[in-house]
Each structure stands twice: as structure tokens, then as C-alpha cells.
Amino acid sequence: MAASSRAQVLRLYRALLRESQRFSGYNYRTYAIRRIRDAFRENKNVADSAKIEELLKKAKANLEVIQRQVTIDQLYSTEKLVIESPGNT
Amino acid sequence: SGRASDGSGAPRPLYMDVQATTPLDPRVLDSMLPYLTAYYGNPHSRTHAYGWESEAAMENARRQVADLIGADSREIIFTSGATESNNMAIKGVARFYKSRKKHIITTQTEHKCVLDSCRSLETEGFRVTYLPVKKNGLIDLKELEAAFQPDTSLVSVMTVNNEIGVKQPIHDIGEICRARKVFFHTDAAQAIGKIPMDVNNMKIDLMSISGHKIYGPKGVGALYVRRRPRVRLEPLQSGGGQERGLRSGTVPTPLAVGLGAACEVAQQEMEYDHKRILQLAERLVTKIMNEVPDVVMNGDREHRYPGCINLSFAYVEGESLLMALKDVALSSGSACTSASLEPSYVLRAIGTDEDLAHSSIRFGIGRFTTEEEVDYTVQKCIQHVKRLREMSPLWEMVQDGIDLKSIKWTQH
């Protein structure tokens, strides 16, 4: 894939993960991180540029969803789960 | 920020009760919020933009629900949930065709609202056959075939059972019903979005759908009503004629949008979720059964949805185990019957011994369940089962080789 495209994908990937870390709810946080990693891994060998374009568009839209939902999750946060401890995902 | 509703500040239990309800998927909440804030129009208002945009959202949601099950949009009716859908389907079909058809077939393991709807029809003069299930929880197709009568109007069999997770042979049931020109209704609340459902492949004529079982909002569901061949229903709820006259009342746009989004997300994530949930379920069952003897899985091992696991721990009282597992949200039997002290009728129907029925716990694994949560649950479960058994005189007797069934208990 083109160098600029590759950089773009990596930027989006990092942004998605970074934003997902901000979920205060354990289950949403772990799901988002896991899902993003698995989705990017699954699509890492896609060569068709139209397909890549489409996937990037979806990723950008998902980033915006995560940004909004992280905000709400933090506004309405509650106690941690019994298995969470400081430093744990 | 919000705190625990009891103000305690204590850490929250893990949620392992997805058959009772599921959390909203953030993607679903995101789709709903605009309709809970700026776009608050009534979708049936014909004369202004508020109405038009609300209607467009509702119709889009209808299409999303239809797409998940291979139906046409016009075949989807929004309801307040699967309970209403079940009531509509069963009472509606029975009453519409009552001049010529007076018989209904269902199973003993259906959800309470199906069984109760049938009982209520019996008081109206209908006859109902409640098919028993085999020890594995599945119906016997030969018994189904034998149950048909010349005036049977409807067969109702749930796809996936909410207590034990068994999956009925829907394809075969659909074939049998179609061949006899009898309508086939299925309560698919625990199945849609989790396993592939196609109303044409499976020859389903009516299907009940629940929002809050598939990471959608509570208070909304849908009823699929086939148009070809046409299924007629007597409506339960009268009013302005919304939803093709079958279900009057303003369709709650934000809830419908949420249901639609939940269906679309489920369709995209079905394969990924199923693979993970299967893995986690096998992990849970294997770990528990390797560590603890005398554990029975209720319901067929093969024909099941993996995310619903019902285990009986012999010589341990179910309620005590649930209390001990206070850091994990679990249940024994279904939420709708937990008020009474009676063991689950589903477990009774599969022939579970009284004492084993009282020793059952249902584990629910869903889209957001982590491996960590499964491991914690397994560890606590093993720990407390062992501890409770240590305290049990029955367990001691069993260890000494005494056959409990041979004991003559005395009256005092």
C-alpha cells in the first residue's frame, strides 16, 4: 500500500486505541480495544485501494462514535468492577 | 459522575446474566441519542419536518430489523417487546381464525408469556397441546407430527431457550408446519443476532424479537408477520391504526432506532461474537468440570447456543451458591420465575431431579464478556462449591458410599 496510506492507517489505529482506553466502563473499554485490534489484524493484507478507502471511512466513523460514547461513559461513570485494580486493563 | 444506586461505593459485581438482559452497545446508544434530543418528532406526524425525519428513522430501523432475518420491511411490526409480540402472535392468530380453527400446539419449555397466552386462550374455548421435551430439552418431531389436528391454526416453538440454551430444530419444524399449511411462530428473542435466522429458509410465519437481549434498549421489540402466504392477526391493541392496524400507538422512534441499530450491529458482529463466545463457554465448562465432580449440564450439548450455560452442582443448594458468588451477577432459572421458590419448570420438563433442579446456576456469556471475567467466575464457583460441599452432610454420606436414594428419612 502507498506510504501515505500506511501512515494514515497507523494514525487511525493509534487514535482508535487511545480513545478506547478512555472508556471508564471495563466491559466497553476492553471490548473496544479488543475489537479494534482484531479488525485491523483481520484486514492487514487488504490490497485493493477502494476497499482500503472504505475501511478507513468506517474506521473514522467509528472513531467519532467512540469519542462521543467515551464522553457519555465518563459523565455517567460508576464504581469499578471487582476484578479491576489500579493498573489493570 | 454517577455512583452506585445504593450509594455504597463498593466495587460492582461482574455481569454474567446476559439472558436476563444485556447492556446497550455504545453504537446503539449513539444511534438513539439524536432522537432523544434534537429529533423528537412523532413519526406519524405527516405535515412537518419533525414528523418526516422521525418517520425516516423509524423506517430505516424497520429495514435493519428485516435485513437481519431475511424479511421484507413491511413484515416488521414494532412492539413493546417480545412479551407483547408473543401475545399478539398467539392470541392474534388464534382469534382471527377461530371460526374454523380451535387448536394450538406449543411446548412445555416456552417462555411464561407464551404459556400464559395459551392458558388464557384455553379459557376462551381453544384447545392447546403442550408438547413435552426430551431429556436433552429438544422436542420430538414425531410427537409434533402426531399432535396436529384438522383444526390446528398455529404451532409456537421458541428458537433458543433462555434458561438452558437449547436450540430447537427450527428448519424441520418449519417444514412440518408448511406441509400441513399451519402457521409457525417462533419466539426468537434469545436467538436473533446470535445465530443466523432466515424466515424463508426456516419457513417461519411469525417471529418475536426483543431489543434488550441483543444489546438494544429495553421497552421495544418487534413481531415479524409473513405477507406471502398472508398471516392474518386480530390486533390486541386498538387505536389510530399504526403499524398496519396491527399495533396502534405512537412508535417510539428512539427505541425503534435503537432496535434497528442493535440488529445491524449484531449482523456485522455475529460471526466474531459467536466464535469468541463459543471459546469462552468451552473454557468455563471445561475448567469447572475438570475441577469439580458431579456437575451436570442441563440441555443438549450439541444443539445449543453456547452463551447460555445451565449447570447443576449436586449436593449444593443453588440459592446458597448464588449468595456465595456475590461478586458475580448470575441467576438460577429465569428472571420471570425467580419470585417463587419453585424450581424452574424448564428443568422439570427435561426431567431434572428435584434436588438437582434446586442446585442449578445459569451462566451467561455475551459480546462484552472477557476471559478474565470467565476465569474469575470459574475460580469463585469452584471455591464455593467445594466449601459448600464440605459443609454438607449429604456430600459426606455420598463420599462414604451411601446411596442417598436408599435412605429412609424419618418424620419428626
Side-chain angles (χ1 to χ4, degrees):
Chain A
M1 116 180 56
S4 63
S5 238
R6 182 183 153 78
Q8 206 186 351
V9 169
L10 285 174
R11 244 197 324 271
L12 247 184
Y13 179 63
R14 278 193 283 264
L16 280 159
L17 287 179
R18 207 171 37 233
E19 201 58 38
S20 299
Q21 288 284 4
R22 298 177 57 223
F23 266 118
S24 111
Y26 168 89
N27 294 97
Y28 288 160
R29 187 174 62 246
T30 54
Y31 175 80
I33 291 167
R34 182 187 338 121
R35 193 66 192 91
I36 290 160
R37 285 200 181 124
D38 287 346
F40 274 76
R41 187 176 307 132
E42 191 188 315
N43 289 307
K44 75 173 184 225
N45 293 319
V46 172
D48 174 52
S49 60
K51 188 70 164 78
I52 294 174
E53 201 56 52
E54 190 198 321
L55 289 169
L56 284 178
K57 207 164 139 217
K58 276 201 192 133
K60 276 195 199 102
N62 275 319
L63 177 59
E64 288 169 22
V65 173
I66 294 173
Q67 282 166 335
R68 288 190 292 266
Q69 294 305 312
V70 156
T71 304
I72 291 170
D73 198 51
Q74 289 177 349
L75 283 171
Y76 291 91
S77 68
T78 185
E79 288 78 10
K80 291 190 183 301
L81 294 182
V82 291
I83 57 170
E84 293 182 80
S85 54
N88 232 18
T89 276
Chain B
S1 57
R3 288 283 109 184
S5 50
D6 64 355
S8 64
R12 289 174 69 72
L14 307 186
Y15 191 74
M16 300 288 291
D17 198 20
V18 285
Q19 279 72 37
T21 194
T22 54
L24 276 184
D25 188 297
R27 291 165 284 198
V28 169
L29 179 59
D30 201 66
S31 74
M32 291 170 68
L33 280 165
Y35 299 93
L36 287 164
T37 51
Y39 305 131
Y40 54 81
N42 181 318
H44 314 292
S45 296
R46 320 233 75 171
T47 59
H48 49 71
Y50 289 84
W52 305 328
E53 74 205 352
S54 183
E55 183 190 26
M58 173 182 73
E59 291 307 323
N60 186 54
R62 199 187 301 279
R63 180 196 52 79
Q64 289 169 317
V65 176
D67 281 352
L68 181 60
I69 61 173
D72 182 283
S73 288
R74 290 166 297 177
E75 297 174 307
I76 303 295
I77 308 292
F78 287 113
T79 66
S80 62
T83 295
E84 183 187 350
S85 303
N86 283 335
N87 268 264
M88 272 172 72
I90 294 167
K91 292 174 178 168
V93 168
R95 289 169 183 163
F96 188 88
Y97 295 96
K98 72 171 183 259
S99 57
R100 289 178 301 117
K101 308 271 177 114
K102 286 288 218 171
H103 179 242
I104 294 163
I105 301 173
T106 187
T107 79
Q108 291 176 6
T109 52
E110 295 301 303
H111 196 276
K112 273 281 161 148
C113 55
V114 168
L115 296 176
D116 230 65
S117 296
C118 289
R119 285 212 204 295
S120 131
L121 286 176
E122 284 184 288
T123 69
E124 288 175 32
F126 291 88
R127 298 178 329 273
V128 182
T129 299
Y130 300 90
L131 291 173
V133 293
K134 298 180 284 193
K135 281 210 164 352
N136 63 2
L138 301 175
I139 61 161
D140 183 326
L141 292 171
K142 291 266 182 306
E143 285 192 22
L144 169 61
E145 286 174 317
F148 281 91
Q149 293 174 23
D151 68 338
T152 304
S153 62
L154 183 72
V155 168
S156 178
V157 180
M158 73 197 313
T159 309
V160 169
N161 184 277
N162 56 305
E163 288 197 35
I164 58 180
V166 293
K167 203 165 55 164
Q168 298 292 346
I170 298 296
H171 265 107
D172 296 327
I173 299 170
E175 289 278 356
I176 290 171
C177 292
R178 191 56 69 82
R180 290 158 180 74
K181 293 199 168 38
V182 171
F183 293 131
F184 174 34
H185 164 255
T186 185
D187 176 356
Q190 297 285 350
I192 68 144
K194 300 185 176 126
I195 58 170
M197 299 282 300
D198 185 301
V199 293
N200 292 314
N201 258 341
M202 296 167 159
K203 301 190 168 55
I204 293 169
D205 299 306
L206 297 128
M207 185 197 285
S208 300
I209 291 162
S210 170
H212 74 109
K213 307 295 165 41
I214 56 167
Y215 313 97
K218 295 171 185 55
V220 69
L223 178 65
Y224 158 76
V225 182
R226 179 175 285 282
R227 279 169 51 99
R228 288 213 182 90
R230 189 116 169 264
V231 178
R232 305 292 302 274
L233 285 186
E234 199 184 272
L236 276 181
Q237 191 154 306
S238 318
Q242 290 85 1
E243 299 300 277
R244 303 183 178 279
L246 294 180
R247 203 277 183 182
S248 292
T250 301
V251 171
T253 300
L255 296 179
V257 164
L259 175 61
C263 288
E264 187 169 276
V265 170
Q267 193 167 19
Q268 290 163 359
E269 302 289 354
M270 201 185 307
E271 198 186 319
Y272 178 89
D273 282 349
H274 195 274
K275 194 162 154 223
R276 266 196 83 241
I277 289 169
L278 179 58
Q279 231 173 341
L280 289 176
E282 286 175 348
R283 187 182 179 91
L284 184 146
V285 174
T286 305
K287 281 186 163 214
I288 289 177
M289 292 197 164
N290 279 350
E291 269 295 310
V292 172
D294 299 301
V295 179
V296 175
M297 181 188 283
N298 295 306
D300 197 271
R301 266 280 165 111
E302 301 288 317
H303 302 279
R304 61 173 28 257
Y305 170 65
C308 175
I309 300 153
N310 192 304
L311 300 178
S312 284
F313 297 89
Y315 320 112
V316 173
E317 217 272 311
E319 288 294 314
S320 313
L321 184 54
L322 279 181
M323 297 284 111
L325 292 171
K326 59 177 172 44
D327 289 338
V328 185
L330 291 164
S331 98
S332 67
S334 63
C336 47
T337 55
S338 59
S340 71
L341 287 174
E342 280 196 18
S344 143
Y345 64 89
V346 172
L347 291 182
R348 201 181 331 123
I350 65 172
T352 304
D353 269 343
E354 184 88 18
D355 46 327
L356 269 187
H358 278 292
S359 313
S360 77
I361 304 280
R362 178 184 65 190
F363 300 87
I365 295 174
R367 177 181 296 158
F368 300 101
T369 311
T370 66
E371 191 177 277
E372 238 188 325
E373 288 176 308
V374 168
D375 288 349
Y376 182 94
T377 301
V378 163
Q379 183 219 331
K380 291 287 168 182
C381 183
I382 290 171
Q383 180 193 334
H384 289 292
V385 167
K386 287 185 169 167
R387 185 184 58 86
L388 287 166
R389 279 179 176 171
E390 286 301 303
M391 297 196 300
S392 162
L394 289 180
W395 175 247
E396 210 182 301
M397 289 193 260
V398 166
Q399 299 294 84
D400 291 339
I402 299 171
D403 172 14
L404 294 184
K405 296 215 190 301
S406 68
I407 297 174
K408 288 197 169 36
W409 303 98
T410 55
Q411 301 272 70
H412 287 286

